[in-house]
Amino acid sequence: MIPRSRLLDLDRLSLAQRQAVLAEDGPLLIVAGPGSGKTTVLAARIAYVIVARRVAPASVLALTFAARASRDLRTRLEHLLGDAAQEVTVSTFHAFGLRIVRRWSEGLGFEPGPLAVYDADDARVLLREATQRLRLNVWGRSTSELVEKVACARLRSDDPSVSTQIRELATAYEQCLLRRRAIDFPGMLVMPLRLFTARPDILRLLQDSYSCVVCDEFQDVCAPQYELLRQLAARHRNLAVVGDPCQAVFGWRGADVRFLLDFAQDFPDAQRIDLTQNYRSTGQIVDVANVLGVRLAFRPPLWTTNSDGPPVSLRALADERAEAAFVASEIGRLLNAGVVGELAHVAVLFRTNHQATPLASEFRARGLPYRAQRGICLHPSVDLAISDQGPPAVLLTTIHGAKGGEWRVVFVVGIEEGLLPHRRALEAERRSACGLDEELRLLYVAVTRAQERLYLSHCRTRQVGARREMRYPSRFLRGLRSNNVTQVAA
């Protein structure tokens, strides 16, 4: 039985949130700014169509990008729907694609039997085998580079920048996967679409199964993910997507924000609702976010009824060691003053993995507990205790890894030309004037993770390989107003 939940009490929602929950059937675009309660709205809308519109829970498909987001959404649905929430399909795109391929693998040419799932290491080994089979001359290209290019060829089938050689390699690689009855992560996205082409009856079966399709973080979809959503919703046309173009930061792995920007062209009858009230951050932090976001205009600026809070701190420091010392010292001060109750309320964000090394060294020297985002490789001389379990600790993470999170206190370090924006983006800008919007969106995402206190910093010099280089403040810091930002030179 579905319980009557307090979260279905529409009086608890803002006017815009209620509009999103109560929107009529058909295509729906919810443009949700950071901290605007999008997961609350998404869960409430799913619960509403089930309770008020009598849609069977098993007919609802909710797709997300991360397992953490899936777990969060399912937990909220359980609170709203009780046992009925278990009938709703809540899944990441990759897990949903894998389920389809496993169920109908023979329709894709696989021999009968269970499928193996290949990780990145398996994929590198198999790609070397495919390269040898084709006798391709790939001198000067690392296996990692080839893996990236082959994945791009498979995810962007119509990309004219992909060479004939890479397309041939991608075909040979997929043939090797087929022979081994294996699937990799890109395959989980592209193989279902091939199945739908070969077996339209399977597509129709899935269309009949899911009369309501929703997608979280829509700004991060790549072409196959968008096509999957479009085809699944083609019959009932009940497709609700939630996203924010100002937080599109995964273009390097195939995501294309144009699917969100052009949603109204693809679905002319789509309703659009903007969620712009920020419930997360202080007024000062929201103001800084709006200064950055004005250059990314697609939705109205954020606003909040939260208190102003302290000004955002902008620090100029001598080098990365001084920067790490400042961060560690300030965290200690906040802890001793009772401003933060525990270290788990603090995160330090940076653009590239290697920036974690001086921070970790300084934290260790001071006995300050920390943990690093999975995938960050620190200098081997640094003795780490970074397991996700254990006592509360400061989180060291890239900005990409911080997406979706929030902390009472956030430090964003290394906001310098060559780091944020990254040198690769600057080189691409010089070659083709392609713009630095994704780098600016990264800083926007970093700033909007903070709830109460935000510290921004840059260095005058920084060690880059064997050289020590002069560094300059990021162009993105220009325009920050003195009434919102306190600038300190050390």
Side-chain angles (χ1 to χ4, degrees):
M1 182 176 179
I2 298 174
R4 182 175 182 85
S5 168
R6 61 185 179 87
L7 287 183
L8 277 179
D9 179 1
L10 298 182
D11 290 338
R12 296 178 59 85
L13 303 177
S14 70
L15 175 61
Q17 289 175 331
R18 287 198 298 273
Q19 290 174 337
V21 171
L22 300 175
E24 294 298 320
D25 291 345
L28 172 64
L29 171 61
I30 303 171
V31 182
S36 62
K38 70 178 180 64
T39 307
T40 296
V41 169
L42 194 62
R45 177 163 177 83
I46 292 171
Y48 181 79
V49 300
I50 291 172
V51 174
R53 297 192 180 154
R54 304 297 182 183
V55 172
S59 295
V60 178
L61 170 64
L63 293 173
T64 70
F65 283 83
R68 179 180 64 181
S70 289
R71 290 191 297 269
D72 187 13
L73 181 57
R74 182 166 293 285
T75 298
R76 293 180 188 233
L77 288 175
E78 288 171 350
H79 182 65
L80 290 165
L81 299 173
D83 293 341
Q86 297 303 316
E87 300 176 46
V88 179
T89 300
V90 181
S91 174
T92 65
F93 276 96
H94 286 88
F96 184 69
L98 177 60
R99 178 162 40 167
I100 292 173
V101 174
R102 278 179 164 162
R103 182 174 176 183
W104 290 288
S105 60
E106 293 180 40
L108 287 162
F110 287 101
E111 293 293 327
L115 290 182
V117 175
Y118 274 18
D119 62 15
D121 291 335
D122 298 321
R124 281 191 284 269
V125 171
L126 198 62
L127 188 62
R128 284 195 290 268
E129 177 185 317
T131 304
Q132 292 166 0
R133 280 179 176 271
L134 287 178
R135 297 181 180 177
L136 290 179
N137 179 10
V138 292
W139 181 85
R141 289 183 173 180
S142 68
T143 304
S144 296
E145 180 187 0
L146 288 176
V147 167
E148 182 178 331
K149 289 184 177 295
V150 165
C152 178
R154 298 166 69 202
L155 295 172
R156 301 174 179 174
S157 58
D158 59 348
D159 188 342
S161 68
V162 178
S163 69
T164 301
Q165 184 187 59
I166 292 297
R167 292 207 181 277
E168 290 176 355
L169 181 56
T171 300
Y173 171 77
E174 289 190 339
Q175 289 171 348
C176 291
L177 284 171
L178 197 64
R179 282 192 297 270
R180 297 194 179 196
R181 292 205 308 274
I183 185 170
D184 63 359
F185 289 100
M188 296 175 193
L189 303 181
V190 299
M191 298 293 275
L193 298 177
R194 294 178 189 173
L195 180 68
F196 297 163
T197 300
R199 295 281 306 274
D201 58 310
I202 294 174
L203 173 59
R204 181 58 180 260
L205 174 64
L206 289 169
Q207 288 172 337
D208 288 342
S209 298
Y210 299 113
S211 61
C212 179
V213 179
V214 300
C215 172
D216 193 13
E217 301 286 4
F218 184 64
Q219 76 278 349
D220 291 332
V221 297
C222 63
Q225 289 166 329
Y226 178 70
E227 187 61 19
L228 178 71
L229 291 169
R230 192 189 67 80
Q231 292 195 34
L232 289 175
R235 185 170 176 221
H236 296 284
R237 302 192 78 254
N238 288 328
L239 173 61
V241 300
V242 185
D244 181 9
C246 294
Q247 299 184 71
V249 296
F250 291 108
W252 52 276
R253 68 180 189 193
D256 193 338
V257 71
R258 287 178 300 177
F259 294 122
L260 188 154
L261 299 176
D262 297 341
F263 191 79
Q265 296 180 28
D266 294 342
F267 298 91
D269 58 335
Q271 303 172 75
R272 169 176 166 170
I273 297 170
D274 292 319
L275 302 181
T276 56
Q277 182 175 0
N278 179 288
Y279 299 92
R280 173 187 297 158
S281 305
T282 63
Q284 299 274 23
I285 294 170
V286 167
D287 285 346
V288 169
N290 283 334
V291 171
L292 299 173
V294 74
R295 288 171 267 180
L296 302 169
F298 177 74
R299 56 164 168 72
L302 300 174
W303 62 279
T304 187
T305 58
N306 295 339
S307 66
D308 282 347
V312 173
S313 173
L314 175 59
R315 297 267 172 161
L317 296 146
D319 55 28
E320 66 274 18
R321 293 184 295 273
E323 185 176 55
F326 161 70
V327 171
S329 175
E330 185 66 7
I331 291 173
R333 187 187 72 79
L334 294 174
L335 195 64
N336 292 334
V339 175
V340 290
E342 60 180 54
L343 294 176
H345 295 156
V346 182
V348 186
L349 315 184
F350 34 81
R351 177 64 176 85
T352 61
N353 286 348
H354 75 268
Q355 290 173 260
T357 300
L359 292 161
S361 297
E362 183 68 27
F363 281 27
R364 177 169 170 76
R366 293 172 181 252
L368 194 63
Y370 67 94
R371 61 188 180 91
Q373 166 206 2
R374 183 176 300 171
I376 290 180
C377 297
L378 297 173
H379 194 280
S381 67
V382 181
D383 182 19
L384 298 178
I386 60 174
S387 143
D388 287 338
Q389 273 71 41
V394 177
L395 176 64
L396 307 182
T397 178
T398 63
I399 300 171
H400 286 100
K403 193 164 182 299
E406 59 182 25
W407 296 269
R408 290 180 59 191
V409 178
V410 169
F411 294 81
V412 188
V413 300
I415 311 177
E416 304 154 12
E417 293 289 294
L419 273 179
L420 189 59
H422 194 273
R423 60 176 178 78
R424 287 193 299 268
L426 292 171
E427 291 165 1
E429 167 77 4
R430 285 191 288 269
R431 287 196 305 269
S432 60
C434 62
L436 298 172
D437 281 358
E438 184 153 321
E439 294 293 302
L440 177 55
R441 292 195 291 264
L442 268 175
L443 182 56
Y444 182 87
V445 166
V447 163
T448 54
R449 300 310 93 197
Q451 296 172 306
E452 299 171 11
R453 291 175 183 264
L454 174 65
Y455 297 83
L456 312 175
S457 65
H458 59 87
C459 297
R460 299 189 186 94
T461 71
R462 187 175 293 272
Q463 192 73 24
V464 180
R467 304 188 312 276
R468 177 155 293 278
E469 294 184 353
M470 293 293 297
R471 309 299 284 187
Y472 301 94
S474 170
R475 65 191 67 193
F476 300 149
L477 295 174
R478 299 169 194 162
L480 296 185
R481 299 185 293 270
S482 59
N483 57 319
N484 297 121
V485 175
T486 299
Q487 299 194 43
V488 181

